Amino acid sequence: MIWNREAETMERGARARLQLGRLQETLRFMVERVAFQRERLGGVTVKTLDDLARLPFIEKGDLREQYPFGLFAVPAAEVARIHGSSGTKGKPTIVGYTAGDLEIWREVMARVMTAAGARRGDMLHVAFGYGLFTGGLGFHDGAERIGMTVVPVSSGNTARQHLLLRDFRPAAICGTPSFVLHIAESLAAEGGDPRALGLRYGMFGAEPWTEGVRAALEKTLGCRAYDVYGLSEIIGPGVAGECEAQAGLHVQDDHFLPEIIDPASGQTLPPGREGELVLTTLTKRAMPLVRYRTGDVTTLLGEPCPCGRTSVRMARVKGRSDDMLVIRGVNLYPSEVECTLLEVAELVPHYQLVVDRSSTLATLEVQVEPAPAVVERCGRFDAGHPELVALGARVAERLRKAIGLSVRLTLVAPRTLPRSEGKAVRVVERR
Ligand code: DLL
């Protein structure tokens, strides 16, 4: 089912004309109303979509400098809601929405969730956090728009998640993939059966995850797992999402125009090339952004999708360009380690990368937990048990082949690595 057939299956030429008109209007509106944008963009004209590549980028640092409301393009009284990023580095990044922007958000969420199988009357368990973070309220509002029954549980309190999932038997769940895996795993550890919850589909995002985690989620919960992408600066979740083909995320490109650039040179790259995603809002009013550098590494896919939607698609986000590790000259994303670890059936999808830069040559330690069945075979967890030693050596060798780097592989006792309730922390730096 397609939520908005007219918008989502629009012929590509018509879509491009719509995008251009909306881009010109966004520029006019922004330059007229935001001093910072007037200084950068006053006098520029855009006649074709290709002209976009000549405009300057805007970056997270600009948002921090303009904290809190310097980039708002409407009077305070017209701002209906404020959201923001978690702000691990001091002040959060603040974004605003007019009532119209919130309508657009509900619309794109309804599209993305419908593409993942959401239907009127389905019950949705929301395990994303509520608050300044856009995950909880974004899915909440989209679900209401569709006419779903929303259970706003928020993140955390695993025991309560179990209780409500068991008693309410929702059709769907949404949350970060790492937290929902933790919900399932802790339920199983208590003797429960996550598959018996009867979930039909899950919508996951807010952090990078791989096909291996998808397989783990689908197997453990017995449901289908769909990827949803977004960021607060642009709107929150709903910028893009997978359809039933699970072959790339449909970008809602009548509202958000994507480009891929080479992060080093800033040059625009053609479809099919991997690089940094840059997004332009085409319809937002409270805080429009043109050429926002997301820092997220992905690829745009131009080919048509069997589902009939005509939007451009993006590949799963591999990670943020600033999450890339450089270890002894090898460039590495945590998701690449994850891919390899999850191919090994004797491991569970919880891991942490410890980077030690205290000596001249940085080293990487990969900490991962063995599956409960392996530990049972050994009697109890003992890192020196021959089966675990052999497993560790096998995984280290696999990693060396896959990523071209010798790592120290440490098997740690089950359920000892930190579990996050929101975005998982995969990398720990030791200096
Ligand atoms: O994480 C919005 C969101 C909520 C998306 C719920 C999906 C589901 P921020 O807190 O502003 O917003 O963080 C945005 O998270 O730039 C990516 O680096 C990362 N991210 C979000 N979704 C995905 C995804 C929300 N599906 C930042 N895959 C983005 C990989 C993702 N990374």
Side-chain angles (χ1 to χ4, degrees):
M1 191 175 138
I2 295 183
W3 176 258
N4 182 340
R5 190 160 279 283
E6 191 186 332
E8 294 180 77
T9 62
M10 191 182 299
E11 183 267 316
R12 285 203 171 173
R15 182 185 297 270
R17 286 191 293 281
L18 181 73
Q19 289 169 330
L20 178 62
R22 288 180 166 178
L23 172 63
Q24 289 166 331
E25 175 55 19
T26 298
L27 281 165
R28 195 194 57 71
F29 183 84
M30 246 173 41
V31 165
E32 191 181 285
R33 289 163 173 252
V34 187
F36 175 80
Q37 304 285 16
R38 193 153 50 241
E39 276 165 36
R40 306 161 64 239
L41 297 166
V44 304
T45 47
V46 166
K47 296 213 175 70
T48 68
L49 284 175
D50 290 340
D51 290 344
L52 185 61
R54 293 191 286 109
L55 305 187
F57 298 117
I58 184 159
E59 298 179 8
K60 201 170 189 98
D62 297 313
L63 269 68
R64 287 216 185 90
E65 271 169 33
Q66 298 298 318
Y67 174 89
F69 305 138
L71 290 170
F72 282 21
V74 296
E78 284 176 35
V79 178
R81 202 189 295 165
I82 301 279
H83 273 287
S85 70
S86 44
T88 42
K89 292 176 196 146
K91 287 178 180 168
T93 312
I94 290 303
V95 298
Y97 305 72
T98 62
D101 295 339
L102 290 174
E103 276 302 300
I104 291 167
W105 195 10
R106 292 186 184 108
E107 160 72 18
V108 292
M109 278 309 290
R111 290 186 197 173
V112 161
M113 294 168 77
T114 301
R119 299 293 178 264
R120 167 175 291 275
D122 283 356
M123 186 185 279
L124 173 68
H125 179 110
V126 182
F128 278 118
Y130 280 66
L132 276 187
F133 174 57
T134 50
L137 282 163
F139 275 87
H140 185 111
D141 285 357
E144 283 190 350
R145 168 54 47 88
I146 293 176
M148 301 175 84
T149 308
V150 192
V151 191
V153 191
S154 197
S155 57
N157 198 340
T158 317
R160 169 123 61 154
Q161 308 273 355
H162 294 164
L163 178 93
L164 298 179
L165 284 166
R166 272 186 173 135
D167 292 349
F168 294 1
R169 298 186 59 78
I173 189 167
C174 61
T176 59
S178 55
F179 181 55
V180 175
L181 262 178
H182 169 56
I183 294 176
E185 172 200 61
S186 47
L187 180 66
E190 288 164 16
D193 176 7
R195 296 179 72 94
L197 295 172
L199 287 164
R200 294 201 330 259
Y201 55 99
M203 295 165 282
F204 304 100
E207 65 185 9
W209 55 305
T210 57
E211 284 304 315
V213 168
R214 180 187 337 252
L217 280 164
E218 292 191 336
K219 181 165 161 245
T220 318
L221 290 166
C223 72
R224 293 200 73 189
Y226 293 90
D227 195 1
V228 174
Y229 169 81
L231 61 169
S232 48
E233 295 89 321
I234 296 301
I235 204 149
V239 173
E242 284 179 330
C243 65
E244 64 275 11
Q246 294 182 322
L249 292 81
H250 287 276
V251 181
Q252 304 306 312
D253 57 3
D254 51 338
H255 292 288
F256 319 109
L257 190 62
E259 299 169 84
I260 295 289
I261 61 160
D262 173 338
S265 69
Q267 287 298 317
T268 312
L269 298 174
R273 289 278 303 279
E274 183 179 280
E276 179 179 344
L277 179 67
V278 169
L279 287 166
T280 294
T281 65
L282 295 175
T283 47
K284 282 245 313 270
R285 286 295 171 256
M287 205 185 100
L289 291 179
V290 168
R291 302 202 90 201
Y292 181 67
R293 283 187 74 148
T294 65
D296 293 325
V297 177
T298 182
T299 310
L300 291 181
L301 315 164
E303 318 81 69
C305 182
C307 75
R309 291 175 182 82
T310 49
S311 59
V312 74
R313 279 171 296 157
M314 59 185 256
R316 236 174 216 302
V317 168
K318 201 171 183 184
R320 299 183 53 79
S321 44
D322 43 13
D323 286 343
M324 187 181 79
L325 301 168
V326 183
I327 296 166
R328 301 198 300 273
V330 176
N331 296 352
L332 180 71
Y333 284 97
S335 59
E336 293 171 306
V337 175
E338 179 177 303
C339 274
T340 303
L341 292 178
L342 295 199
E343 284 162 12
V344 183
E346 294 99 328
L347 299 176
V348 294
H350 290 286
Y351 65 96
Q352 199 157 51
L353 311 185
V354 183
V355 183
D356 190 337
R357 300 190 192 275
S358 55
S359 60
T360 11
L361 284 181
T363 57
L364 176 65
E365 177 186 352
V366 177
Q367 302 180 337
V368 62
E369 296 175 9
V374 178
V375 178
E376 249 168 54
R377 274 206 301 276
C378 301
R380 65 182 175 87
F381 179 81
D382 167 12
H385 189 285
E387 180 166 347
L388 292 183
V389 173
L391 173 63
R394 198 152 34 87
V395 177
E397 178 56 16
R398 251 187 124 114
L399 276 170
R400 194 186 59 75
K401 281 203 183 119
I403 62 180
L405 192 72
S406 297
V407 305
R408 192 166 135 217
L409 192 110
T410 310
L411 290 174
V412 298
R415 297 163 55 78
T416 53
L417 288 174
R419 305 299 201 252
S420 108
E421 296 174 350
K423 298 176 189 256
V425 179
R426 299 298 192 193
V427 181
V428 183
E429 292 264 352
R430 255 186 221 145
R431 285 184 193 274

